[in-house]
Amino acid sequence: MEWILELAPAWAEAHAPALIVVLPLLAGPICAFLPGQGRTAWLFTVLVTGLCTLLALVLLAQVQSVEGGAIISYAMGGWEPPFGIEFRIDALNVLVLLLVSVIAFLTSIFGWPSIQAEINEEKRAMFFGAFQVCFMGLLGVTATGDAFNFFVFLELSSIATYVLVALGSGRDRRALPAAINYLLMGTIGASFYVVGVGFLYASTGTLNMADLAVRLQDVGGNRAVQVGFAFILVGLGLKAAMFPLHQWLPNAYSYSPSFVTAFLAATATKVAIYALVRFLFSVFSLEYIFEGASLALILAPMGIAAMLACSFQAIFQSDVRRTLAYSSVAQVGYMLLGISLGTAAGVSAGMFHLVNHALMKGALFMAVAGVVLTYKGTRIHDFAGLGRSAPWTMTAFAIGALSLIGVPLTAGFQSKFALVSALLSSGWWWAALIVVFSSVLAVIYMGRILEAVFFRPPNNPQKRHKEAPMLLLVPLWILALANIWVGINGNFVSGLADNAAAALFVGGAQ
């Protein structure tokens, strides 16, 4: 990665932690006022997300420039932490910054045809403005080292997301109650989080996360710290769609504009999982009895419940979007199960699956967007025969589906294998069997869709064959091929996940 630093200008290296957040922050209001029926705002969005991707690569190269991973501390406004707001980049969050930026760039490219079809002309510029704010909030949550600043970015991202979901009412009026439900649940989650932070501030007198970690060691596990931990766990669990706090997710994914669904499915819950990992292992410590109990008695059971219950729910869905939405909750269960081990191997497997799930679910929802655009349907019945009518679109969908199942030579297999290995090394053989059983359930609910696509006759044989537009196919196939690339040689992504876990554990192992 040294060549990136050689090519990057000095200002990018010096200010990348701030610029990656400030660029979309400034772009949001600019997008809202750009002329051109939304096209100019779309092109501007592609430019900004592309620049953020380059900045994320610069940050990755800087972190990897030191053996064991460098820590980049950026003091906003020159106010040094812990008194000022700090952006703190390490091997853990640089992985998420890169993931969110890449997904935002690819979905921005693919989004224009679906935006034209689903969003009214007069609302398109505002739509891209709201997307920029959502994107900025997710990056800010990931980059900040301040617990209250974290809350501010979380709310900015959430408020923009509620607007984006509601704009799906142009295609389906059910997007409005889905947005309201999302708003209510998201507000409860944010309220729980900020109350928890209040308890921590009352106990330690600081909001800087690195400083919090030091002062909590001195304070110990008093009752206020325990209550604060519980509030933060519930608040972030809601944002991450942790079972049974996931009820907002199926409708939000099912009725949003296709662009929004593809972006949120690949990023929103991933950032919340990152935040949960950050607080569990960086701010708090496994030395606290209450944290160890929460991993064993809360995260692990909830992860297993999500894997089983939501996989069964996915089997009985007739709409492809809802099937994939319930599958997303089940996949969050895999990540939580790995994290609940409290080991470097478990966290690494959880983060590895986090990245791979973004790749597979991004591809799947992009393919569904192509079907919505060209064939106007999302039910499994509507997908019948599309393997012949739209072979490029549905082949990419099939690759994403096989990766979701965990078929060898796909990204999903690599991360599930890493998770099973971590479980077995910790003696959780029974949990490894549940992972395998959940994958069998994935064969059933994804197999139903693939059977309709490739083995049923089309509903209307006279209908002209029609592929998704090239703007959609290119990023779709980039993600589909990424699933195969990681499945064949996952060293790059798994190495990033290992480094992320090592950043949380002394010596890189536990």
Side-chain angles (χ1 to χ4, degrees):
M1 303 293 289
E2 293 180 0
W3 60 272
I4 295 178
L5 296 180
E6 294 174 359
L7 295 176
W11 57 264
E13 290 189 48
H15 302 290
L19 287 174
I20 198 171
V21 178
V22 171
L23 278 179
L25 174 63
L26 297 176
I30 293 174
C31 276
F33 294 102
L34 286 175
Q37 301 175 345
R39 182 181 293 272
T40 307
W42 166 65
L43 292 172
F44 187 56
T45 298
V46 172
L47 173 63
V48 171
T49 53
L51 289 174
C52 288
T53 301
L54 294 177
L55 289 170
L57 287 171
V58 170
L59 289 171
L60 176 64
Q62 289 179 319
V63 169
Q64 292 189 335
S65 64
V66 176
E67 187 176 353
I71 296 177
I72 304 168
S73 177
Y74 189 92
M76 298 297 290
W79 290 84
E80 293 297 326
F83 304 104
I85 294 174
E86 177 191 27
F87 279 18
R88 190 177 180 88
I89 313 298
D90 60 12
L92 176 62
N93 59 357
V94 75
L95 169 63
V96 182
L97 286 172
L98 181 62
L99 175 67
V100 173
S101 299
V102 169
I103 294 297
F105 179 57
L106 292 177
T107 51
S108 295
I109 294 172
F110 116 93
W112 179 242
S114 66
I115 294 302
Q116 284 183 299
E118 299 180 29
I119 304 297
N120 294 334
E121 182 179 308
E122 66 276 8
K123 297 180 180 178
R124 290 173 190 165
M126 294 292 291
F127 175 91
F128 284 110
F131 169 72
Q132 293 278 12
V133 175
C134 175
F135 176 48
M136 175 275 299
L138 293 176
L139 292 175
V141 167
T142 307
T144 187
D146 182 273
F148 185 78
N149 196 229
F150 177 102
F151 166 74
V152 173
F153 282 121
L154 187 68
E155 279 301 273
L156 286 171
S157 175
S158 298
I159 292 169
T161 303
Y162 308 147
V163 174
L164 293 173
V165 172
L167 286 171
S169 61
R171 183 181 65 87
D172 193 323
R173 298 295 294 179
R174 289 175 290 184
L176 293 176
I180 292 173
N181 184 40
Y182 192 0
L183 184 152
L184 293 174
M185 298 297 287
T187 301
I188 293 171
S191 299
F192 267 74
Y193 170 80
V194 77
V195 169
V197 169
F199 276 102
L200 297 186
Y201 181 73
S203 299
T204 62
T206 184
L207 292 170
N208 182 274
M209 293 184 187
D211 198 34
L212 263 174
V214 174
R215 298 197 187 190
L216 284 174
Q217 295 290 337
D218 298 330
V219 171
N222 64 36
R223 187 60 56 88
V225 172
Q226 293 177 12
V227 172
F229 174 85
F231 270 97
I232 290 173
L233 182 63
V234 173
L236 294 180
L238 251 167
K239 293 290 186 179
M242 181 174 71
F243 185 92
L245 307 175
H246 68 286
Q247 299 302 327
W248 58 268
L249 187 145
N251 287 344
Y253 283 14
S254 299
Y255 307 130
S256 300
S258 300
F259 174 97
V260 176
T261 301
F263 177 69
L264 291 182
T267 59
T269 54
K270 314 303 179 293
V271 171
I273 291 289
Y274 153 77
L276 195 60
V277 171
R278 175 65 75 192
F279 272 90
L280 285 174
F281 297 101
S282 289
V283 176
F284 295 97
S285 170
L286 289 176
E287 296 174 2
Y288 294 126
I289 296 176
F290 60 85
E291 175 165 340
S294 72
L295 294 179
L297 301 178
I298 299 177
L299 285 192
M302 293 302 96
I304 291 171
M307 291 160 52
L308 297 177
C310 292
S311 293
F312 275 112
Q313 285 180 290
I315 290 173
F316 295 101
Q317 301 302 314
S318 60
D319 185 277
V320 174
R321 276 186 163 195
R322 291 188 70 82
T323 300
L324 296 178
Y326 280 109
S327 165
S328 290
V329 183
Q331 300 301 312
V332 167
Y334 287 91
M335 303 170 208
L336 292 177
L337 183 59
I339 294 166
S340 68
L341 287 172
T343 65
V347 173
S348 175
M351 296 302 293
F352 191 15
H353 195 65
L354 181 150
V355 175
N356 289 348
H357 182 249
L359 299 178
M360 63 181 79
K361 202 54 65 79
L364 287 167
F365 275 115
M366 281 188 186
V368 172
V371 175
V372 171
L373 186 63
T374 54
Y375 293 96
K376 313 299 181 186
T378 60
R379 297 176 303 161
I380 295 178
H381 176 73
D382 299 321
F383 277 59
L386 291 188
R388 280 163 277 182
S389 301
W392 284 99
T393 304
M394 299 321 297
T395 300
F397 179 90
I399 292 172
L402 295 175
S403 185
L404 181 64
I405 292 168
V407 173
L409 301 183
T410 64
F413 173 80
Q414 292 276 14
S415 52
K416 286 185 178 182
F417 182 81
L419 176 59
V420 169
S421 299
L423 292 168
L424 292 176
S425 64
S426 295
W428 290 27
W429 58 268
W430 50 272
L433 292 177
I434 294 174
V435 170
V436 174
F437 179 68
S438 177
S439 297
V440 172
L441 296 179
V443 172
I444 298 174
Y445 63 73
M446 295 308 298
R448 292 173 64 231
I449 303 173
L450 294 178
E451 186 269 334
V453 168
F454 294 105
F455 298 103
R456 289 188 201 171
N459 294 323
N460 184 1
Q462 304 302 319
K463 193 168 184 177
R464 182 170 58 89
H465 290 195
K466 190 176 182 181
E467 283 284 2
M470 189 60 65
L471 271 176
L472 194 151
L473 285 177
V474 170
L476 167 61
W477 270 93
I478 289 174
L479 288 176
L481 293 175
N483 276 278
I484 296 176
W485 170 61
V486 176
I488 296 174
N489 183 8
N491 292 337
F492 176 73
V493 179
S494 64
L496 293 179
D498 288 341
N499 292 339
L504 301 172
F505 295 92
V506 178
Q510 186 80 356

